[in-house]
Amino acid sequence: MLGNFTYYNPCRLHFGPDAVSKLADELAEYGPTVVLVYGGGSIKRSGLYDQVTTMLRAAGKTVAEISGVMSNPTADKLREGAKVARDANADLLLAVGGGSVIDYAKAVAVSAWCDDDPWEKYFLRMEAPDNRLIPVGNILTMSGTGSEMNAGSVISNPQQKLKIGHVFGPELIPRFAIVNPELTFTVPDYQMRAGIFDAFNHIQEQYFSGDDDNTSDYVAEALMRSLVTSSLVAVADPADYEARSNISWVCTWALNTLLGKGKATDWEVHMIGQAIGAVTDAAHGMTLSAVAPAYYRHIMPYGLHKFVRFAVEVWDVRPEGKTDEQVACEGIEAMEAWMDRIGVVRRVSELGLTPDMYDDVVKGTFLLEGGYKKLTPDEVRAILVASA
Amino acid sequence: MLGNFTYYNPCRLHFGPDAVSKLADELAEYGPTVVLVYGGGSIKRSGLYDQVTTMLRAAGKTVAEISGVMSNPTADKLREGAKVARDANADLLLAVGGGSVIDYAKAVAVSAWCDDDPWEKYFLRMEAPDNRLIPVGNILTMSGTGSEMNAGSVISNPQQKLKIGHVFGPELIPRFAIVNPELTFTVPDYQMRAGIFDAFNHIQEQYFSGDDDNTSDYVAEALMRSLVTSSLVAVADPADYEARSNISWVCTWALNTLLGKGKATDWEVHMIGQAIGAVTDAAHGMTLSAVAPAYYRHIMPYGLHKFVRFAVEVWDVRPEGKTDEQVACEGIEAMEAWMDRIGVVRRVSELGLTPDMYDDVVKGTFLLEGGYKKLTPDEVRAILVASA
């Protein structure tokens, strides 16, 4: 059943090999000052930095920069960037990078003109913005998080051992997104694989919730099937445009609010994964892949019918002559076989997480209501042990 | 493969039993003058007219009206409505009705301030608007066309025996859409069934094109499966909210530009159906259902692999031990069995189309390039004969 909701996603998304050329049109919509937001040197090595700054100059923009955005952007880095954007009086924050850079740019967008401490206001207290916001646009270089077309932002505080995501309102959705799948060719293999599982799990977090089997569930299955097919091609040949373009498109739609319509949505794998990320600084997608199988095996009895459907519709498990439990387990086993084929992390120990750190992870894991079973802290610990 | 495209759909869509209550917020975004656009008396009988006009008064709006919009809105009616909107100096066109009413409101939106004849400029010559546009919002009372969240508009000219659709740019996408599936409960059964097949065929027109098997094809299959499941419930119990809500949501996504990304798109069934509609004034969805099976049988050899996929993925045809041709034919047969179960028109003769009218239909059918085979006029005639 699809109850009351509003669907509104005004991002203008330019896709394909020529997408970066659309930046010129987009820049014309904003005032003279652009703050360019990026991570390390990869966009300089790839030539994208030169291409973008040339276009910014041609558009007559004054450019300030926030560079060195890390893969798990920190509260300290947020405070630093907020000051840069405010001092520059930015008309546009142009994020060039993967999900971390875009997440970070959104956090800067709400923080630049915020007189409160932004980590405390927006992440610890989860308040809605009530100050001037700076528009965000992005050029995506790595697919996975879906940040290019949603209002989510995840910021870490290593001192507090916390990593917290805030999904803002539609005013924080990037005004434009430029998604050229060819730009993702240069992403290290490890990051590509992490991004693929991140998107897969975004779909799962929405799919394994509610018991309604509505249109969103059908679309979720479609996106999972497409992603599985394309991912197997991409790990064999990362420069296969057809595979990478489908992966990029699935990643965008996996988390741009469509799939959550009519669903309670779970997000518990992300809560555990983010808590692991807070203490290990591991790649986000790999923190999810390390715990997802154990999590789903744990909650399977509480949503068995959906795990049967997952097995049959996503993995083509044949149900004839089997119990629901057998069918459901075969679905998880098929998912694990696929995870092994695409090469994602399957054990938390591979991320540097040792048993002495479990307390911090359990403490840092938010326990949400939306899934088939609200976990207890002991259950989080059991999932870590099962994923050790 | 997903090549270059821009995805941009800034419609704010309010869904669910409480959706009409969102109208107040939406009205606040526009100036004082609203032109209410609707069809016959059904919205008066249902009480929706009173509810909406009360909200308009509460918002302090001056209201003008264009009523009597017919199911195949005519060029003459367009000229009449354009004058009403211009004389009123409308700040918003609020369409309350089904696809015809919303299509018509978009045509008025581009025509009110157009000094040229709008039928000739926008439909015969297919020009882009270069004059002031009036924003459009809508309250949907019948699902099917997807007009609530796209930029398409179809207008008929009975004197010229033409019915022509123009897909405008994103500036013509309704600014807001209010979709309460309960409002569709009062639609006559015949119209509900027509709307279901209209949406199904929108998906097919995009699915049966290109040979790429990309993400859009997976999503198309998901929407077809969801629609088939829900339609069978809805024809048995039209007041089943779960079924009707899924039907409404599928209808919206069947034609809001998403499914066409990476696809050539066909639209030939719509071209034939519109030509039939121009000479019979039949319900749009039924003109499609009457010719679709013959059309797909005709083009099947040119896109056989996709018809095999359609059979297996949408209709669960088991391919083992069968030729591709057999599998593909079983898919079409399964579709026909479903069409009979939901009760849509299967013969053009049921629409009042007699062989003496075939010449006009053939002449009025635009022959497009996007499908697996560009038809000749003789092939259009053969499809009519096979559908007689």
Side-chain angles (χ1 to χ4, degrees):
Chain A
M1 193 181 90
L2 293 155
N4 291 303
F5 61 78
T6 293
Y7 178 86
Y8 179 51
N9 193 321
C11 178
R12 185 156 45 210
L13 189 143
H14 304 290
F15 192 95
D18 300 337
V20 176
S21 69
K22 302 287 183 180
L23 179 61
D25 293 341
E26 294 294 344
L27 291 175
E29 309 263 321
Y30 303 92
T33 306
V34 176
V35 172
L36 194 62
V37 183
Y38 59 98
S42 67
I43 67 163
K44 292 193 173 168
R45 287 190 297 277
S46 71
L48 182 60
Y49 177 87
D50 286 341
Q51 186 183 5
V52 170
T53 50
T54 300
M55 292 178 83
L56 287 165
R57 274 196 303 274
K61 302 295 184 186
T62 303
V63 180
E65 293 196 3
I66 305 170
S67 64
V69 179
M70 54 290 275
S71 59
N72 287 312
T74 64
D76 285 343
K77 185 72 184 173
L78 170 59
R79 296 180 189 111
E80 174 199 320
K83 186 171 182 324
V84 171
R86 184 171 183 151
D87 289 351
N89 195 11
D91 296 302
L92 173 70
L93 298 169
L94 179 58
V96 183
S100 303
V101 170
I102 304 171
D103 274 23
Y104 173 82
K106 291 177 211 166
V108 171
V110 295
S111 301
W113 297 98
C114 170
D115 293 324
D116 209 339
D117 180 75
W119 165 255
E120 292 184 12
K121 179 182 174 75
Y122 293 123
F123 296 91
L124 284 184
R125 299 201 304 271
M126 287 282 187
E127 291 178 19
D130 51 6
N131 48 255
R132 177 178 154 193
L133 307 175
I134 305 173
V136 174
N138 66 77
I139 301 175
L140 187 70
T141 60
M142 176 184 156
S143 283
T145 71
S147 189
E148 64 275 16
M149 201 181 178
N150 69 39
S153 174
V154 182
I155 296 294
S156 295
N157 189 318
Q159 297 89 344
Q160 296 180 10
K161 295 183 181 167
L162 288 173
K163 179 175 175 179
I164 300 177
H166 188 161
V167 179
F168 293 98
E171 64 280 5
L172 262 294
I173 294 175
R175 304 287 183 92
F176 64 87
I178 289 172
V179 180
N180 172 3
E182 291 177 351
L183 293 176
T184 72
F185 289 3
T186 58
V187 166
D189 245 38
Y190 186 85
Q191 296 296 339
M192 174 185 80
R193 294 158 197 255
I196 289 168
F197 193 81
D198 186 18
F200 191 81
N201 190 247
H202 289 158
I203 305 170
Q204 294 186 297
E205 298 269 29
Q206 297 168 92
Y207 181 75
F208 288 117
S209 75
D211 59 348
D212 23 56
D213 300 319
N214 64 30
T215 302
S216 292
D217 292 308
Y218 288 89
V219 178
E221 288 158 359
L223 294 179
M224 287 191 274
R225 289 179 72 99
S226 183
L227 185 57
V228 167
T229 300
S230 295
S231 65
L232 292 170
V233 177
V235 295
D237 178 9
D240 184 296
Y241 180 83
E242 182 164 348
R244 297 303 285 272
S245 64
N246 282 301
I247 290 170
S248 288
W249 197 223
V250 171
C251 289
T252 296
W253 285 87
L255 192 55
N256 68 359
T257 80
L258 175 65
L259 282 192
K261 297 311 175 196
K263 303 291 302 179
T265 78
D266 183 346
W267 301 111
E268 199 56 50
V269 173
H270 270 67
M271 293 303 104
I272 302 173
Q274 286 177 193
I276 294 171
V279 298
T280 64
D281 202 33
H284 170 61
M286 297 305 192
T287 66
L288 307 174
S289 61
V291 298
Y295 174 75
Y296 289 119
R297 282 209 167 80
H298 185 81
I299 64 162
M300 190 186 288
Y302 305 94
L304 185 62
H305 83 285
K306 196 52 152 302
F307 286 92
V308 171
R309 182 171 165 163
F310 176 68
V312 172
E313 298 299 338
V314 179
W315 302 104
D316 294 325
V317 172
R318 299 289 296 272
E320 293 85 353
K322 299 171 190 165
T323 65
D324 281 357
E325 286 76 6
Q326 285 173 321
V327 175
C329 285
E330 285 187 31
I332 299 297
E333 286 158 14
M335 177 183 82
E336 291 181 305
W338 165 69
M339 292 168 73
D340 288 336
R341 287 180 69 189
I342 63 165
V344 292
V345 168
R346 294 288 310 283
R347 298 273 143 213
V348 294
S349 49
E350 294 176 54
L351 304 171
L353 192 81
T354 47
D356 58 298
M357 301 154 89
Y358 288 3
D359 275 351
D360 283 330
V361 173
V362 172
K363 209 164 62 183
T365 298
F366 293 80
L367 303 172
L368 305 180
E369 304 271 358
Y372 291 126
K373 158 100 181 61
K374 184 177 174 177
L375 295 188
T376 65
D378 282 348
E379 290 178 304
V380 174
R381 187 180 305 274
I383 287 162
L384 294 174
V385 170
S387 311
Chain B
M1 191 180 91
L2 293 155
N4 290 304
F5 61 78
T6 292
Y7 178 87
Y8 178 51
N9 194 322
C11 178
R12 184 156 46 209
L13 189 144
H14 304 289
F15 192 95
D18 300 337
V20 177
S21 69
K22 302 288 183 180
L23 178 62
D25 293 343
E26 294 293 344
L27 290 175
E29 309 263 322
Y30 302 93
T33 306
V34 176
V35 172
L36 194 61
V37 183
Y38 59 98
S42 67
I43 68 164
K44 291 193 174 168
R45 286 191 298 277
S46 72
L48 182 59
Y49 177 86
D50 285 342
Q51 186 183 5
V52 169
T53 50
T54 301
M55 293 178 83
L56 287 165
R57 275 195 302 274
K61 302 295 184 186
T62 303
V63 180
E65 294 197 1
I66 305 171
S67 64
V69 179
M70 55 290 278
S71 59
N72 286 311
T74 64
D76 285 342
K77 185 73 182 172
L78 170 58
R79 294 180 190 111
E80 174 199 321
K83 186 170 182 327
V84 172
R86 184 171 183 151
D87 289 350
N89 195 11
D91 296 303
L92 173 69
L93 298 169
L94 178 58
V96 183
S100 303
V101 170
I102 304 170
D103 274 24
Y104 173 81
K106 291 176 210 165
V108 170
V110 295
S111 302
W113 297 98
C114 170
D115 294 323
D116 209 340
D117 180 74
W119 164 255
E120 291 183 13
K121 178 181 173 76
Y122 293 123
F123 296 91
L124 283 185
R125 299 202 305 270
M126 288 281 189
E127 291 178 18
D130 50 7
N131 48 255
R132 177 178 155 196
L133 307 175
I134 305 174
V136 174
N138 66 77
I139 301 175
L140 187 71
T141 60
M142 176 186 157
S143 283
T145 71
S147 189
E148 63 275 16
M149 201 182 178
N150 69 39
S153 175
V154 181
I155 296 295
S156 295
N157 189 318
Q159 296 89 346
Q160 297 180 10
K161 295 183 183 169
L162 287 174
K163 179 175 176 181
I164 301 177
H166 188 160
V167 180
F168 293 97
E171 64 280 5
L172 262 294
I173 294 175
R175 303 287 183 92
F176 64 88
I178 289 173
V179 181
N180 172 3
E182 292 177 350
L183 294 177
T184 71
F185 289 3
T186 59
V187 166
D189 245 39
Y190 187 84
Q191 298 296 338
M192 175 186 81
R193 294 158 198 254
I196 290 168
F197 193 82
D198 186 20
F200 191 80
N201 189 247
H202 290 158
I203 306 170
Q204 294 185 297
E205 298 270 28
Q206 297 168 91
Y207 181 75
F208 288 117
S209 75
D211 59 350
D212 22 57
D213 300 319
N214 64 30
T215 301
S216 292
D217 293 308
Y218 288 89
V219 178
E221 288 158 359
L223 294 180
M224 287 190 275
R225 289 179 71 99
S226 182
L227 185 58
V228 168
T229 301
S230 295
S231 65
L232 293 170
V233 177
V235 294
D237 178 9
D240 185 297
Y241 180 83
E242 182 164 346
R244 297 303 285 273
S245 65
N246 282 300
I247 289 170
S248 288
W249 198 222
V250 170
C251 289
T252 296
W253 285 87
L255 193 54
N256 68 359
T257 79
L258 175 65
L259 282 193
K261 297 310 176 197
K263 302 292 300 180
T265 78
D266 182 346
W267 302 111
E268 199 57 49
V269 173
H270 270 67
M271 292 305 103
I272 302 173
Q274 285 177 193
I276 294 172
V279 298
T280 64
D281 201 34
H284 170 61
M286 297 305 191
T287 65
L288 307 174
S289 61
V291 298
Y295 174 75
Y296 289 120
R297 282 209 167 81
H298 185 82
I299 63 163
M300 190 185 287
Y302 305 95
L304 186 61
H305 83 284
K306 195 51 151 305
F307 285 91
V308 170
R309 182 170 165 163
F310 176 67
V312 172
E313 299 298 339
V314 179
W315 302 104
D316 294 326
V317 171
R318 298 289 297 273
E320 293 85 353
K322 298 171 190 163
T323 66
D324 281 357
E325 285 77 6
Q326 284 174 320
V327 175
C329 286
E330 285 187 30
I332 298 297
E333 286 158 15
M335 178 183 83
E336 290 180 306
W338 165 69
M339 292 169 74
D340 288 336
R341 288 180 70 189
I342 64 164
V344 292
V345 168
R346 294 287 309 285
R347 297 273 145 211
V348 294
S349 49
E350 294 176 54
L351 303 171
L353 192 80
T354 47
D356 58 297
M357 300 155 89
Y358 289 2
D359 275 351
D360 283 331
V361 173
V362 172
K363 208 163 65 182
T365 298
F366 292 80
L367 303 172
L368 305 180
E369 305 270 359
Y372 291 126
K373 157 100 183 62
K374 183 177 174 178
L375 295 189
T376 63
D378 282 347
E379 289 178 303
V380 174
R381 186 180 305 275
I383 288 162
L384 294 174
V385 170
S387 309

